[in-house]
Amino acid sequence: MRCPFCKMDNDKVIDTRLSDAGLVIRRRRECLTCGKRFTTHERLEEMPIRVIKKTGRREPFERGKILSGVLRAVEKRPLSMERAEELVDALERELLDGAEREISTQRIGGMVMARLRAMDEVAYVRFASVYREYQALDEFIQEIQKISDGDNGKNAEAAAPGDGGSAADNGQI
Ligand SMILES: [Zn+2]
C-alpha cells in the first residue's frame, strides 16, 4: 500500500478490524520508510467463509439464507426487519473475526439461536424447532447411508461390553 505521506510502498499492518456491516476491513498501517501511520478500508466482495454441510460438502456462506431463516422465525413477532438484519450483521462479524474460514452448519445454527434467544424467546423456539427438524432429517439420511454401506454391525458390538460390565459390578458382590 502506498504511503499517503512519502508515497513509498513499504508498510506493515499493525491492526485489522471489521467495521459496521461486517464487510469492510479497516487496516491500520505503518509506513516503514517515514514512520507515519495511516488507515485503509477494503470492501469485501463476499464473505471469505465457507459452510460445511453435514454431508461434508462445502458451500459459500450466503447471508440471504441465514436472513430468510431468521425472518421466518420472527414472523408476526414485535421485531423489525432492521433487528433481523442487525442479527445477521453481528453473526457475519463474529465469523470474520474468528480464526476459522470453514464452519459447520451446526455451529452457525447455534450462533443464530444464541442471538435470537437474547432477542425474543418465541422466535428462538421457532428457529430451533425448524433447525432441529432439519438436523434430524440430515442425521436420518446419514444413518440410512451407513446401513446401506453394510456398516451396521458396529453399533451393536460397541453397546454390549459396557452394559455387561456395569451389571456385573452392581450384582453379586
Ligand atoms: Zn511514508
Short mmCIF file of all heavy atoms in Angstrom, two decimals, residues 3 5-8 31 33-35, ligand 1:
data_model
loop_
_atom_site.label_atom_id
_atom_site.label_comp_id
_atom_site.label_asym_id
_atom_site.label_seq_id
_atom_site.Cartn_x
_atom_site.Cartn_y
_atom_site.Cartn_z
N CYS A 3 2.20 4.79 0.81
CA CYS A 3 2.08 5.72 1.94
C CYS A 3 1.56 7.07 1.41
O CYS A 3 2.11 7.62 0.46
CB CYS A 3 3.44 5.89 2.60
SG CYS A 3 3.49 7.23 3.79
N PHE A 5 1.92 9.88 2.71
CA PHE A 5 2.83 10.96 3.09
C PHE A 5 4.08 10.99 2.20
O PHE A 5 4.40 12.00 1.59
CB PHE A 5 3.21 10.83 4.57
CG PHE A 5 2.02 10.79 5.48
CD1 PHE A 5 1.56 9.58 6.00
CD2 PHE A 5 1.32 11.95 5.77
CE1 PHE A 5 0.44 9.54 6.83
CE2 PHE A 5 0.20 11.91 6.61
CZ PHE A 5 -0.25 10.71 7.13
N CYS A 6 4.78 9.86 2.12
CA CYS A 6 6.03 9.86 1.36
C CYS A 6 5.92 9.10 0.04
O CYS A 6 6.88 9.04 -0.73
CB CYS A 6 7.17 9.29 2.21
SG CYS A 6 7.04 7.51 2.48
N LYS A 7 4.75 8.52 -0.21
CA LYS A 7 4.45 7.80 -1.46
C LYS A 7 5.25 6.50 -1.66
O LYS A 7 5.22 5.92 -2.73
CB LYS A 7 4.64 8.69 -2.71
CG LYS A 7 4.01 10.07 -2.62
CD LYS A 7 2.49 9.97 -2.65
CE LYS A 7 1.87 11.38 -2.60
NZ LYS A 7 0.57 11.36 -1.89
N MET A 8 5.93 6.04 -0.62
CA MET A 8 6.67 4.78 -0.76
C MET A 8 5.71 3.62 -0.49
O MET A 8 4.79 3.74 0.31
CB MET A 8 7.84 4.72 0.23
CG MET A 8 8.94 5.73 -0.02
SD MET A 8 9.71 5.55 -1.64
CE MET A 8 10.65 4.05 -1.35
N CYS A 31 4.02 3.11 7.83
CA CYS A 31 4.99 3.19 6.74
C CYS A 31 6.37 2.93 7.32
O CYS A 31 6.77 3.57 8.30
CB CYS A 31 4.92 4.57 6.09
SG CYS A 31 6.21 4.80 4.85
N THR A 33 9.12 3.46 5.80
CA THR A 33 10.09 4.43 5.28
C THR A 33 10.08 5.72 6.12
O THR A 33 11.12 6.14 6.60
CB THR A 33 9.81 4.75 3.80
OG1 THR A 33 9.78 3.51 3.08
CG2 THR A 33 10.86 5.66 3.20
N CYS A 34 8.88 6.31 6.31
CA CYS A 34 8.82 7.58 7.05
C CYS A 34 8.26 7.43 8.46
O CYS A 34 8.28 8.38 9.25
CB CYS A 34 8.03 8.63 6.26
SG CYS A 34 6.25 8.29 6.23
N GLY A 35 7.76 6.25 8.79
CA GLY A 35 7.28 6.01 10.15
C GLY A 35 5.87 6.52 10.44
O GLY A 35 5.37 6.36 11.55
ZN ZN B 1 5.80 7.01 4.34
#
